[in-house]
Amino acid sequence: MMNIDEGNGLLNQFEKFSSPNKIIDLCINHARPMTTLIMALCLALGNAADAVEIMCVGFIMTEMQKSDNISTSDKEFLSAAVFLGMLFGGVTCGYLSDIFGRKYCLLVSLLLNATAGLASALSPNIDILIFCRVIGGIGIGGSVPTVFSLGAEIFPSNVRGKYLSIIAAFWMVGSIYTALAAWIMLGDNFNGGKILPGVD
């Protein structure tokens, strides 16, 4: 957030504050505006990625309704899988982030989410797809609360609400991106044909 000289200068300026918590608050509240914005955008993109993972299931289920090879129970399990994972991930990662730190748990959760998303795309059958969605849900459940708690801890108090609102708004950015991607990959053009060539 700031270089060593700036940090030392700030500490010398406020050396009368003996409490470490007060010194940390002063350093956070004197962060460079561009650095704070970049951190907010990184957290916001993580929130958008979580939205993509949740929203994509609805579009996938719409296509699966046309298939007779997948049972109704499998479709129901697929719909619920990500939320089952989110329940476990939210409870577990909230506890672990207090022990290992917010940043570490957020990175692990996003990595888990990305890995499960890739594995879902390569799933050879519905059972493995459901399993991958549960694992992805654990990543989502771990990252959503951590994104906001980390932001609340690192943003200066005078702009904290603004940047947390930006992070929350990126959930809609992820949702819009998912809808556009699904329309391009799965939707029909105005002539009734597929927009993306080679997609049945």
Side-chain angles (χ1 to χ4, degrees):
M1 298 178 73
M2 61 179 67
N3 61 40
I4 294 176
D5 292 335
E6 289 176 323
N8 289 334
L10 192 61
L11 290 176
N12 292 333
Q13 181 181 355
F14 297 107
E15 59 184 359
K16 60 182 179 179
F17 296 100
S18 58
S19 170
N21 291 334
K22 290 183 178 180
I23 294 175
I24 291 172
D25 287 340
L26 288 168
C27 291
I28 289 174
N29 290 330
H30 287 79
R32 294 176 180 173
M34 187 56 65
T35 302
T36 304
L37 177 61
I38 290 172
M39 289 189 298
L41 290 176
C42 289
L43 294 176
L45 288 173
N47 198 35
D50 293 332
V52 170
E53 283 294 313
I54 291 178
M55 296 295 296
C56 71
V57 175
F59 296 104
I60 293 171
M61 291 301 298
T62 301
E63 289 298 307
M64 285 188 168
Q65 297 297 333
K66 304 172 185 177
S67 175
D68 296 327
N69 299 326
I70 301 173
S71 66
T72 302
S73 60
D74 283 339
K75 294 174 184 176
E76 292 170 352
F77 279 126
L78 181 60
S79 298
V82 68
F83 299 105
L84 178 64
M86 286 178 66
L87 175 63
F88 179 77
V91 173
T92 305
C93 290
Y95 172 75
L96 292 177
S97 66
D98 288 334
I99 299 174
F100 298 107
R102 310 267 187 256
K103 178 182 174 183
Y104 175 78
C105 284
L106 177 60
L107 292 175
V108 170
S109 296
L110 290 174
L111 178 62
L112 190 63
N113 188 2
T115 304
L118 180 61
S120 297
L122 301 174
S123 297
N125 56 55
I126 188 67
D127 295 325
I128 294 179
L129 177 59
I130 291 172
F131 175 76
C132 291
R133 298 308 299 159
V134 172
I135 300 302
I138 294 173
I140 296 169
S143 62
V144 169
T146 309
V147 159
F148 289 98
S149 59
L150 181 60
E153 291 175 357
I154 64 174
F155 296 147
S157 58
N158 61 323
V159 293
R160 188 169 295 150
K162 178 177 75 173
Y163 286 121
L164 289 176
S165 297
I166 291 173
I167 293 173
F170 264 67
W171 185 274
M172 277 62 78
V173 172
S175 301
I176 293 170
Y177 169 79
T178 307
L180 288 174
W183 179 59
I184 292 171
M185 290 187 286
L186 305 173
D188 298 332
N189 59 28
F190 295 112
N191 297 323
K194 289 295 182 182
I195 296 173
L196 193 65
V199 177
D200 296 327

